[in-house]
Amino acid sequence: MSNKRTKTRHLLLDTVLSLLLAPEGSLLRMIDVAKAAGVTRQTVYDHFTNRSEMLTAAILHFGDQLDVDARLAPSRAAPDGRSRLTAYTQAMLEFFPAIYPLKQSLMRMGPGDEEAKSAWEDRIRAMKEGCAAAVSALKADGDLLDHLTEARATDLYFTLLNMDGWAHCVLENGWPEVEYLAEMQRVTHLALVKP
Amino acid sequence: MSNKRTKTRHLLLDTVLSLLLAPEGSLLRMIDVAKAAGVTRQTVYDHFTNRSEMLTAAILHFGDQLDVDARLAPSRAAPDGRSRLTAYTQAMLEFFPAIYPLKQSLMRMGPGDEEAKSAWEDRIRAMKEGCAAAVSALKADGDLLDHLTEARATDLYFTLLNMDGWAHCVLENGWPEVEYLAEMQRVTHLALVKP
DNA sequence: TTTTTAATTGACATGATGTAAGGTTTTGCG
DNA sequence: CGCAAAACCTTACATCATGTCAATTAAAAA
């Protein structure tokens, strides 16, 4: 388990993430990763066949560190649809500060990193399943607005909870996070739930 | 005006856009642009000092073709805040189909194209000014929700009108555009306007 | 027609990715 | 411990895209 190989692999993965999340925002050349990890460029290639695979692995590694299940527990434990919606919205917004920098870095990555971006999309899709579950609970309670199907409501909810909107308000325009959360709670409820 | 120089420049710009908007999605190497325009790679460099400047110019060129003022006229002509909000929302959503593919292409561009991305952000900022104007009109009518400042309301409106949300619903999940528009009208009004 | 502008040709420097082969250190197992 | 295998290092090379230069040819414009 605590192989040398897996140890170096983890070191490399951590290094990639730290470079990706660094405030300056690195170009993440292979040589940068190698140097920052105190290793040769070729060693990096010994662990990952190419840049894209390295990024992909880093994203997975990041996801593992995120403790998603624990942070989603309150949402799953919610007694009814309304409170489940509330809890899930809050959980999502609490993910954003950690996740957003990585998203930004990935978006800056060039073409030829499509694989990595796919891995990212997968993570995002997982978030949408949470949206679907919340909407489903709402529907089960008969609290979902009549004109919305579950699918439509899920899409809409997911749309409202977008990270770029969060970044725009909180990071670029200085909204206090609690205020953004409050607005999102208000808007999502208005958008989905019967009055 | 119809110089040879400006003519080739336009040809190049059009070529860049057509490649950028092509369904397959090109990597847009300089040589691709040159070939597609029936011109030498060096000629491209004679018109644009580097890739980033070329992209930037292409974005501006794209904006010029978009006839923004005309499409925003209904919004400006609206008699009151509520109808202005409605008109602006509609105008924005009608921009998205044309704009989104370009955005996608730009996001795929590698690092070293920061300049081009800035040009893009500028265009987006201009859209936000429209949001601000609509919110302002609403406020003037006394129809803006009391707990929202103009700035907050503008941020929120802009957040709700996000292109990725549109793409998610309309492009990826097959919402009819009119249906998405209807939902956005509903949600933005609920989010901003006094009942 | 002449002059000037635009485009071409071909060569070169740079910098990143990825491959390859052979040598050295470290690990871990008998 | 001792030794084989795994991990890592060193060096070198192939490739490919960007960007630069200089000389030449083609074609507009005066």
Side-chain angles (χ1 to χ4, degrees), chain A residues 5 8 40 42-43 47:
Chain A
R5 184 165 182 82
T8 332
T40 319
Q42 280 59 26
T43 296
H47 283 264

Side-chain angles (χ1 to χ4, degrees), chain B residues 129-148:
Chain B
E129 284 167 25
C131 293
V135 165
S136 216
L138 220 48
K139 175 84 175 183
D141 292 357
D143 285 337
L144 186 63
L145 283 174
D146 287 326
H147 79 284
L148 290 172

